Amino acid sequence: MKSRFPLCPLAELSGLPDDVAASILKIQEKSGFVPNVFLMLARRPAEFRAFFDYHDAIMYRSESSLTKGEREMVITTISADNHCLYCVVSHGAILRVYEKNPIVADQVAVNYRHADITPRQRAILDFAVKVNKSAWEIADSDFESLHHYGLDDEDAWDIAAITALFGLSNRMATVGKLEPNLEFYILGRTPRD
């Protein structure tokens, strides 16, 4: 399978705006490879910047009580719900790393309701899936379910924002036939020494 839209070759980063090229090189240095989503979005620098600015604002918001693992659980779950292979594989890998659990991503991607996760995490994912499938049905009772597990309305906002951003990402990756990097398939599957 080949991506529908051309990926920016690493050899051509010098033709990109400096800030976009620097972002790509930074992720390469950090992870040892460049996730294909960076190379797909680089073809439109303004959209690249907008996507990753919003990504960073919601994924690294320090005031949230959501853990990094819970954020990745939301992404993996709704990506599975949206049938996005790229996002399930890539964010499932990140989830395995954050949770230090080689099976959790597969469980939540197939059926989070039967995954070995906490009741709090299940409530987070219930809310995310409802936002993803039928946001117009969100009611006070959905917020009360989150409150029961110590999550406040700002946490609900975070869950909804993550769901919304990755709904966009899921659709663009799917329409673009974006292939997961091979590195993602094995990342976090075996414990590190």
Side-chain angles (χ1 to χ4, degrees), residues 13 16-25 38 41-42 45-46 48-49:
L13 291 185
L16 295 174
D18 290 344
D19 61 318
V20 173
S23 293
I24 292 171
L25 292 173
F38 281 78
L41 291 176
F48 179 100
R49 290 182 194 103

Side-chain angles (χ1 to χ4, degrees), residues 33-34 36 86 89 93 96 179-187:
F33 67 99
V34 179
N36 287 337
Y86 180 85
V89 172
R96 289 190 298 272
E179 295 181 48
N181 300 68
L182 293 178
E183 293 89 344
F184 282 130
Y185 284 99
I186 58 170
L187 190 64

Side-chain angles (χ1 to χ4, degrees), residues 31 33 89-106 182-193:
S31 64
F33 67 99
V89 172
S90 61
H91 288 279
I94 299 167
L95 172 57
R96 289 190 298 272
V97 170
Y98 283 157
E99 291 293 305
K100 297 175 179 56
N101 181 338
I103 62 172
V104 67
D106 296 335
L182 293 178
E183 293 89 344
F184 282 130
Y185 284 99
I186 58 170
L187 190 64
R189 294 228 183 251
T190 56
R192 288 185 170 178
D193 294 330

Side-chain angles (χ1 to χ4, degrees), residues 26-44:
K26 182 178 177 184
I27 194 72
Q28 182 180 36
E29 182 178 313
K30 182 178 178 181
S31 64
F33 67 99
V34 179
N36 287 337
V37 69
F38 281 78
L39 301 175
M40 182 177 83
L41 291 176
R43 61 192 298 276
R44 292 189 172 192

Side-chain angles (χ1 to χ4, degrees), residues 81-94:
D81 201 37
N82 293 331
H83 307 284
C84 180
L85 177 65
Y86 180 85
C87 295
V88 168
V89 172
S90 61
H91 288 279
I94 299 167

